[in-house]
């Protein structure tokens, strides 16, 4: 296992990750990811579909970028990320509808 980590990933098992770097990179990537679906509203859109399109495109790009760390093709990783994101959005919508939350 140690040889695999060093040879294929280029990581040293003795190196300890920096918690500060992990926290800052997580904050930045989460913030950018949250901003992508809001872009149409920042430019004056008043309907939902542009935000859904931007969010879906962002999910596909994020999935495709993650494929550089896996043996899967970019389109598979992008479609998988889009599927999970759509499922999360759909479940959130259904829960909101079930408890009577409405956007006016």
């Amino acid at each position: 296992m140690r040889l695999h980590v060093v040879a294929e990933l280029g990581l040293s098992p003795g190196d300890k990750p920096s918690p500060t770097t992990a926290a800052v990179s997580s904050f930045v990537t989460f913030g950018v990811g949250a901003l992508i679906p809001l872009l149409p509203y920042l430019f004056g859109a008043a309907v939902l579909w542009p935000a859904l399109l931007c969010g879906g495109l962002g999910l596909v790009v994020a999935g495709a970028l993650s494929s550089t760390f896996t043996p899967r093709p970019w389109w598979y990783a992008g479609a998988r990320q889009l599927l999970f994101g759509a499922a999360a959005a759909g479940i959130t919508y259904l829960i909101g509808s079930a408890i009577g939350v409405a956007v006016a």
Side-chain angles (χ1 to χ4, degrees):
M1 182 72 103
R2 209 175 274 269
L3 180 62
H4 172 70
V5 168
V6 172
E8 292 193 22
L9 301 177
L11 301 174
S12 173
D15 290 344
K16 301 289 184 211
S18 166
T20 303
T21 302
V24 169
S25 63
S26 178
F27 176 75
V28 169
T29 55
F30 187 82
V32 169
L35 182 66
I36 290 173
L38 296 177
L39 287 175
Y41 297 113
L42 294 176
F43 290 110
V47 292
L48 182 61
W49 71 266
L52 291 174
L53 185 65
C54 283
L57 185 61
L59 286 168
V60 171
V61 168
L65 289 173
S66 75
S67 73
T68 60
F69 303 107
T70 65
R72 302 277 187 196
W74 69 268
W75 57 266
Y76 178 86
R80 181 177 180 264
Q81 189 77 7
L82 179 62
L83 177 69
F84 286 142
I91 291 168
T92 303
Y93 177 80
L94 290 174
I95 291 171
S97 295
I99 63 174
V101 176
V103 178

